[in-house]
Amino acid sequence: MSGIDRYINVLDLFTTEKSMWTAQGVASALNVPTSTTYRTMRELARVNMLEPATEGHYRLGSAFIEFDRRTRLTDPLVQVGEPMLTDIVHHANIPCVAVLARLYGSTVMCIADSRSAGTAVQTSYERGRPRPLTRGATSKVILAQLTTRRLNKLLVTANPSPPPPSLSDEAFRDELALIRKNGYCVARGEVDEGRVGIAVPISIQEQALIASLSLVIDAASSNQSLERQLVLLLVSAAALIKEQLAPRIPTLGSESEASSEGSNK
């Protein structure tokens, strides 16, 4: 391990299935010298990304709680979109979960969600949990917005979640093209069995913002008429989010332009 990868590889071992590790256990899992993992874990503990637990074990530290708070307070998509999710769930008038998501490496991550009161709808989409890149409406409307070059690069790294076996690569790309043309996606049981995902894009290309807004409902409650209504609800909400985001996010060139202006003074 070298550079930042040395730290990321250690942190990636801490999961809900195994939340505490010893230096010896990390060394064995990563096939690196124990002396290296001792040093790496001490450095992570120094900046509160790890903290000592019992009998030589470490767990994730409080720095992540602080960074999560900063994200909630500074991410314009979260600031604008999260409060709207409650309204979307209310106006949907059906048991559902509203999801705001964006690309995260070679996966798609929910960055905010809201559930209707007392809903029995269960979904694996929840804040901070990476989900498959190529399955489900939430992910597909994001992929449909990407340039061919970026899509190609992502699909190469999407080995854990390739297109369904029933779809060839060409058929999958045709599906994305149709989603891009229609402006929405409806997917049934692709991520969670018995659930229907309905999603629309949130895209501000000049600001490099590519995300999706979704509703997850019970398949037994779904029909074409309801799905059309929910698509219209999501399209309207996404347009409002984009409108409110516009003044909050500087365009890509603004920082370099400001820097250039400063150097010319």
Side-chain angles (χ1 to χ4, degrees):
M1 292 186 292
S2 61
I4 189 67
D5 289 341
R6 179 161 59 97
Y7 302 98
I8 297 300
N9 290 342
V10 170
L11 292 173
D12 277 345
L13 292 176
F14 291 80
T15 65
T16 53
E17 291 77 22
K18 186 173 177 60
S19 61
M20 293 195 297
W21 287 81
T22 63
Q24 296 93 325
V26 169
S28 177
L30 298 179
N31 194 29
V32 296
T34 302
S35 58
T36 299
T37 59
Y38 267 120
R39 183 170 63 254
T40 301
M41 294 173 80
R42 282 199 305 267
E43 291 172 352
L44 288 169
R46 181 175 58 82
V47 294
N48 297 313
M49 288 188 172
L50 291 180
E51 63 182 25
T54 58
E55 299 178 354
H57 287 76
Y58 285 83
R59 58 182 169 236
L60 292 179
S62 54
F64 292 101
I65 302 174
E66 180 182 359
F67 284 120
D68 180 68
R69 177 179 177 274
R70 290 187 193 179
T71 299
R72 288 179 179 272
L73 294 176
T74 60
D75 186 333
L77 184 58
V78 172
Q79 288 181 305
V80 171
E82 187 170 32
M84 288 192 187
L85 296 182
T86 302
D87 294 334
I88 292 169
V89 165
H90 173 73
H91 289 295
N93 197 30
I94 184 176
C96 62
V97 179
V99 174
L100 191 61
R102 61 158 40 127
L103 272 177
Y104 173 66
S106 59
T107 65
V108 168
M109 180 178 286
C110 169
I111 61 173
D113 62 339
S114 180
R115 300 168 186 268
S116 53
T119 182
V121 176
Q122 299 297 321
T123 175
S124 58
Y125 284 96
E126 56 187 38
R127 177 178 168 83
R129 185 179 184 184
R131 305 308 301 138
L133 177 69
T134 57
R135 297 175 187 263
T138 296
S139 296
K140 287 180 177 178
V141 294
I142 290 178
L143 292 182
Q145 302 173 66
L146 302 180
T147 63
T148 300
R149 180 178 180 180
R150 189 174 183 188
L151 177 63
N152 290 342
K153 184 176 180 180
L154 275 174
L155 291 181
V156 168
T157 62
N159 291 329
S161 58
S166 59
L167 283 180
S168 65
D169 181 73
E170 182 180 359
F172 182 70
R173 291 173 187 274
D174 287 344
E175 181 183 1
L176 295 183
L178 183 60
I179 292 170
R180 184 164 54 250
K181 177 182 177 181
N182 291 338
Y184 70 91
C185 178
V186 178
R188 295 172 173 82
E190 292 189 10
V191 177
D192 297 312
E193 186 177 353
R195 303 290 176 260
V196 174
I198 305 167
V200 300
I202 299 175
S203 176
I204 305 179
Q205 295 289 348
E206 64 271 22
Q207 296 167 349
L209 174 62
I210 301 176
S212 66
L213 180 63
S214 314
L215 278 170
V216 180
I217 63 175
D218 194 327
S221 304
S222 186
N223 56 65
Q224 288 188 349
S225 176
L226 175 63
E227 290 171 8
R228 285 195 296 269
Q229 294 175 36
L230 296 181
V231 166
L232 291 175
L233 172 63
L234 290 173
V235 167
S236 176
L240 185 57
I241 290 174
K242 287 177 62 176
E243 179 182 329
Q244 294 191 15
L245 276 174
R248 287 173 174 255
I249 309 177
T251 57
L252 292 178
S254 61
E255 185 174 341
S256 59
E257 289 169 2
S259 175
S260 176
E261 289 176 4
S263 63
N264 292 332
K265 290 182 180 178

